[in-house]
């Protein structure tokens, strides 16, 4: 169950230009967390900013009661959060959302999961980076897309990664979806987990509808995706964050993560 | 017994006793269960549940929320499971909560409102109805019911005939004369009033040259609007008034009460601070204690 925790900033680290990692110490009992879940952080000292900011859990450590978030500075709220100092306190609601659930995905597949693709774009790679640690029994290939060399620092969180950048400053010049076919021809995955902006996920869904993403059993490879929409409550109460899934409006904060084939983008 | 306990926070809203004057505003805590663990509802005077319609509603398409300076716009479009699903699936989970549950109802036509009031009439767990007459009325060309005194009178009279719980009528601020509307509701038999609902607003994306959200503004940005309308309505009617709009702490709540409100509702502030309801209750107690007062009623209407 989500609670509003008082946390203390342990470290504020600049990863690249306008990219920040915050490590927070949670006071009180540390909750059960899963990768893919997110938190809502109150923007400190700014009562005029009336909504909290949502960030995926990039990493956590139960023993030290710490969580990390990684974010890009895109506006006022993230600019304030990028300036917090070690020792400063932040109110953080966690854990929110459902997190990746391989056991659930497995029940909907015939063949056992062995090899998983992690497909992410930009800051959207964050909720994917902790998966190999949480599920070490699987093999992974990470296909990651970035704007340029600067934000590609996030690739360091992944072991077996292939990169595409818009400007070609590192890896393949182009889109991350360009990496799919060659990777597929090399080794077919059993499952794809994805996260990124809506245009990014739309691109991935287009590839999916082309039909060649078939498993070794010749069945369509399932793609589960984590979404970002504007949120107010983050807990499922306000109905502000919905997307259309299977013809119904589903809450991204509460009902996520979704089977990409079922999402209308 | 400590000092705090001696302060009487209870208020009577029509026949319904609230343990304190702080109410969660409709649409901001859903049907309570999502906020379990974050809000201790037993510390809250009452909860106005998410707006219900006769049939299930899918709500609006596109972006539904947009933060603005000291506020937010929403265009949820009353997404809700419909009154029957609410009664069967949601209410059983929350009816044991130690607070007063208020059903907030909205309709496309007069018949919808009457039918919902009828279905709720014998539901013991619902202690009060809040009539949301500020949503677009499809059958009357998109004009909200809550705009003209004549329409308000008609709908309140019709609902009053069938409803068994006290009826709170929620007024829209987007009208020519809030006092005329308040009086029309009172004359038609409303037991109390709540105001304000959200203020019409717009957010646009200049670069993409498009509308982001056309919806209702809430949060601290609208507090002066809510406060003025509550202040004026309290002078114009004799029935109790529940004030809201931009309340984020005990001071804001006390301002509304000092302007004549019997109780207050808090909505948007819950998103950033789920503990705001409880903190407002304790903050009011603290204020009264500092002022040497022992009853919340001593603050009510002190601003003339
Ligand atoms: C579930 C979830 C997980 C997220 N995880 C991360 C993460 O790990 N790292 C990261 O960098 N960003 C993440 N985001 C996006 C992040 O929440 C926004 O970048 C941030 O809210 C921007 O705030 P701002 O005040 O700086 O920007 P502004 O543009 O000034 O914000 C204006 C309003 O829009 C909202 N908003 C702006 N961009 C987004 C967005 N992309 N998604 C949702 N709301 C937005 C803000 O919350 C605010 O209410 C996540 C979003 C969601 C919904
Ligand atoms: C996301 C959201 C959903 C709302 N839904 C409803 C609703 O279903 N019925 C209703 O009467 N008011 C609804 N409201 C209006 C609030 O109950 C309240 O009148 C308004 O937000 C002003 O109070 P505040 O500034 O404290 O939020 C909603 C407000 C918000 C922000
Ligand atoms: S953010 Fe409120 S329901 Fe998802």
């Amino acid at each position: 169950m989500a609670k509003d925790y008082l946390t203390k900033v342990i470290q504020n680290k600049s990863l690249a230009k306008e990219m920040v990692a915050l490590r927070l110490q949670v006071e009180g009992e540390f909750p059960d967390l899963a990768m893919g879940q997110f938190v809502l952080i109150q923007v400190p000292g700014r009562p005029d900013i009336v909504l909290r900011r949502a960030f995926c859990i990039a990493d956590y450590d139960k023993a030290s009661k710490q969580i990390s978030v990684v974010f890009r500075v895109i506006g006022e709220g993230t600019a304030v959060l990028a300036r917090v100092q070690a020792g400063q306190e932040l109110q953080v609601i966690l854990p929110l959302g459902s997190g990746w659930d391989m056991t659930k995905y497995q029940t909907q597949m015939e063949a056992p999961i062995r090899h998983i693709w992690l497909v992410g774009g930009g800051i959207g790679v964050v909720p994917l980076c902790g998966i190999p640690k949480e599920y070490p029994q699987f093999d992974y290939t990470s296909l990651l897309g970035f704007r340029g060399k600067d934000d590609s620092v996030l690739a360091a969180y992944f072991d077996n990664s292939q990169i595409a950048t818009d400007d070609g400053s590192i890896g393949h010049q182009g889109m991350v979806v360009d990496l799919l076919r060659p990777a597929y021809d090399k080794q077919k995955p059993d499952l794809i987990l994805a996260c990124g902006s809506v245009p990014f996920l739309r691109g991935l869904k287009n590839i999916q509808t082309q039909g060649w993403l078939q498993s070794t059993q010749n069945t369509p490879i399932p793609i589960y995706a984590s979404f970002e929409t504007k949120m107010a409550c983050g807990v499922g109460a306000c109905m502000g964050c919905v997307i259309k899934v299977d013809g119904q409006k589903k809450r991204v904060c509460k009902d996520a993560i979704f089977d990409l084939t079922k999402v209308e983008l | 017994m400590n000092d705090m306990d001696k302060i009487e926070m209870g208020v009577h809203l029509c026949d319904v006793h609230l343990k304190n004057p702080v109410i969660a505003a409709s649409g901001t805590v859903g049907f309570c269960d999502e906020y379990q663990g974050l809000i201790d509802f037993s510390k809250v005077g009452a909860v106005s549940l998410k707006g219900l319609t006769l049939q299930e509603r899918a709500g609006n398409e596109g972006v539904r929320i947009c933060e603005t300076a000291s506020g937010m716009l929403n265009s949820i479009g009353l997404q809700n499971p419909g009154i029957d699903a609410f009664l069967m699936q949601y209410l059983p989970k929350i009816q044991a909560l130690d607070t007063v549950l208020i059903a907030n109802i909205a309709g496309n036509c007069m018949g919808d409102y009457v039918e919902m009031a009828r279905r709720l009439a014998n539901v013991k767990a619902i202690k009060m109805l809040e009539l949301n007459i500020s949503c677009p009325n499809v059958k009357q060309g998109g004009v909200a019911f809550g705009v003209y005194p004549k329409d308000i009178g008609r709908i309140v009279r019709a609902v009053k005939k069938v409803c068994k719980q006290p009826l709170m009528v929620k007024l829209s601020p987007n009208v020519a004369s809030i006092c005329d509307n308040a009086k029309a509701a009172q004359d038609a038999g409303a037991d109390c009033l709540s105001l304000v609902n959200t203020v019409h607003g717009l957010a646009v994306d200049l670069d993409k040259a498009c509308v982001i959200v056309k919806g209702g503004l809430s949060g601290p940005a609208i507090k002066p609007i809510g406060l003025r309308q509550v202040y004026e309505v309290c002078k114009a009617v004799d029935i109790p008034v529940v004030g809201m709009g931009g309340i984020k702490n005990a001071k804001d709540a006390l301002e509304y009460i000092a302007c004549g409100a019997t109780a207050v509702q808090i909505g948007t502030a819950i998103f950033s601070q789920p503990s705001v309801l409880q903190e407002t209750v304790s903050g009011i107690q603290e204020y009264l204690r500092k002022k040497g007062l022992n009853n919340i009623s001593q603050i009510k209407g002190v601003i003339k």
Side-chain angles (χ1 to χ4, degrees):
Chain A
M1 202 192 295
K3 290 211 171 79
D4 192 7
Y5 290 89
L6 182 67
T7 70
K8 192 176 274 176
V9 179
I10 297 298
Q11 191 187 45
N12 174 345
K13 191 169 153 197
S14 167
L15 298 182
K17 193 166 155 266
E18 306 200 318
M19 183 127 41
V20 176
L22 289 184
R23 199 138 54 82
L24 307 173
Q25 174 98 42
V26 175
E27 307 253 301
E29 201 181 326
F30 195 77
D32 280 330
L33 301 179
M35 290 312 300
Q37 286 190 299
F38 68 98
V39 304
L40 281 182
I41 306 186
Q42 195 174 52
V43 181
R46 290 291 301 269
D48 58 318
I49 295 183
V50 301
L51 299 177
R52 292 194 184 202
R53 297 299 184 252
F55 303 106
C56 290
I57 297 169
D59 193 15
Y60 66 91
D61 179 47
K62 213 171 165 128
S64 61
K65 300 211 274 184
Q66 291 182 358
I67 63 158
S68 295
V69 295
V70 174
F71 61 89
R72 189 202 297 284
V73 176
I74 65 144
E76 252 191 302
T78 45
V80 173
L81 288 168
R83 290 193 300 265
V84 298
Q85 308 273 327
Q88 198 173 331
E89 288 176 338
L90 293 175
Q91 284 296 139
V92 185
I93 299 177
L94 81 157
L96 297 165
S98 52
W100 306 103
D101 187 348
M102 301 318 163
T103 323
K104 190 174 112 194
Y105 309 149
Q106 180 68 81
T107 60
Q108 289 163 31
M109 296 165 57
E110 281 166 28
I113 302 173
R114 290 200 187 88
H115 184 209
I116 300 176
W117 277 5
L118 307 177
V119 182
I123 200 78
V125 307
V126 172
L128 300 168
C129 68
I131 296 174
K133 190 167 133 194
E134 197 161 277
Y135 293 95
Q137 65 270 44
F138 306 122
D139 293 329
Y140 296 91
T141 299
S142 309
L143 306 171
L144 313 172
F146 299 104
R147 279 193 296 200
K149 198 168 177 170
D150 251 0
D151 53 347
S152 73
V153 293
L154 293 174
Y157 288 89
F158 297 83
D159 279 341
N160 183 15
S161 68
Q162 294 166 36
I163 298 175
T165 49
D166 294 347
D167 60 6
S169 54
I170 184 168
H172 164 81
Q173 174 166 15
M175 316 267 280
V176 74
V177 287
D178 305 341
L179 304 173
L180 265 51
R181 186 79 224 197
Y184 177 80
D185 290 339
K186 218 165 122 198
Q187 189 186 6
K188 296 179 180 183
D190 305 304
L191 174 69
I192 299 172
L193 305 178
C195 187
S197 63
V198 166
F200 174 83
L201 292 170
R202 199 178 283 135
L204 188 59
K205 196 178 154 92
N206 282 342
I207 301 276
Q208 189 179 36
T209 45
Q210 289 172 7
W212 53 265
L213 272 172
Q214 301 267 323
S215 72
T216 41
Q217 274 75 33
N218 291 320
T219 52
I221 299 167
I223 306 183
Y224 288 92
S226 160
F227 288 79
E228 276 180 21
T229 53
K230 300 222 172 162
M231 293 185 177
C233 71
V235 300
C238 75
M239 301 292 159
C241 64
V242 301
I243 55 172
K244 248 189 180 166
V245 183
D246 252 349
Q248 284 188 311
K249 306 261 176 47
K250 294 282 186 190
R251 298 163 299 185
V252 168
C253 68
K254 185 84 179 177
D255 307 319
I257 293 159
F258 301 105
D259 180 343
L260 191 61
T261 41
K262 298 189 174 154
V263 180
E264 289 172 42
L265 285 172
Chain B
M1 198 191 266
N2 65 29
D3 269 7
M4 288 283 207
D5 292 330
K6 287 189 216 129
I7 293 171
E8 179 54 59
M9 288 287 282
V11 295
H12 279 278
L13 207 51
C14 322
D15 292 339
V16 184
H17 180 260
L18 312 189
K19 63 179 86 163
N20 62 59
V22 178
I23 303 171
S26 179
T28 57
V29 293
F31 299 124
C32 295
D33 53 334
E34 295 88 355
Y35 264 113
Q36 304 262 16
L38 282 161
I39 298 175
D40 180 355
F41 288 102
S42 75
K43 300 273 175 12
V44 177
V47 177
S48 178
L49 301 166
K50 171 71 199 163
L52 293 166
T53 49
L54 194 54
Q55 313 293 341
E56 176 180 3
R57 265 180 76 117
N60 292 338
E61 298 292 321
V63 178
R64 290 180 169 185
I65 49 188
C66 181
E67 199 173 353
T68 57
S70 290
M72 64 176 280
L73 284 162
N74 90 78
S75 145
I76 308 293
L78 281 171
Q79 180 173 354
N80 80 94
I83 190 152
D84 291 337
F86 164 72
L87 291 174
M88 309 266 288
Q89 293 160 32
Y90 295 85
L91 187 59
K93 286 193 268 180
I94 55 167
Q95 59 189 7
L97 287 178
D98 179 18
T99 187
V100 169
L101 297 181
I102 302 171
N104 177 285
I105 59 173
N108 285 326
C109 61
M110 182 117 94
D112 284 4
Y113 283 98
V114 172
E115 183 53 30
M116 278 192 281
R118 203 193 308 274
R119 289 190 200 180
L120 288 163
N122 295 313
V123 179
K124 293 272 178 300
I126 298 296
K127 298 285 185 275
M128 191 181 273
L129 302 193
E130 183 174 44
L131 206 63
N132 175 6
I133 50 170
S134 356
C135 52
N137 166 8
V138 183
K139 291 210 174 141
Q140 290 188 347
V143 182
F145 276 113
V147 174
Y148 301 110
K150 189 166 55 71
D151 296 337
I152 295 176
R154 272 177 50 232
I155 195 159
V156 171
R157 253 188 304 278
V159 171
K160 250 328 252 190
K161 276 194 195 130
V162 297
C163 89
K164 296 212 175 121
Q165 296 94 334
L167 183 66
M168 172 152 76
V169 176
K170 185 164 179 178
L171 300 178
S172 163
N174 310 305
V175 298
S177 165
I178 191 79
C179 289
D180 288 350
N181 290 6
K183 279 187 267 186
Q186 171 174 269
D187 294 346
D191 299 290
C192 62
L193 303 172
S194 58
L195 63 154
V196 292
N197 209 319
T198 52
V199 177
H200 288 167
L202 184 75
V204 298
D205 185 322
L206 180 62
D207 291 332
K208 294 189 188 142
C210 64
V211 167
I212 304 173
V213 172
K214 181 178 161 199
L217 182 65
S218 62
I222 70 164
K223 200 192 93 182
I225 298 171
L227 201 57
R228 168 149 178 186
Q229 298 206 345
V230 165
Y231 175 75
E232 289 181 349
V233 166
C234 286
K235 292 186 193 308
V237 299
D238 305 315
I239 53 178
V241 170
V242 175
M244 78 189 98
I247 298 175
K248 63 179 183 319
N249 55 30
K251 180 174 170 286
D252 293 338
L254 282 159
E255 287 180 15
Y256 272 94
I257 295 170
C259 285
T262 300
V264 295
Q265 295 193 15
I266 303 180
T268 303
I270 296 169
F271 298 144
S272 134
Q273 191 66 29
S275 59
V276 69
L277 298 162
Q278 285 155 255
E279 281 165 13
T280 300
V281 174
S282 51
I284 293 175
Q285 279 176 321
E286 176 71 12
Y287 180 87
L288 293 177
R289 193 184 54 73
K290 267 198 203 137
K291 292 279 173 188
L293 305 172
N294 58 18
N295 196 316
I296 179 73
S297 65
Q298 291 167 293
I299 292 284
K300 185 171 172 258
V302 295
I303 297 177
K304 299 293 176 208

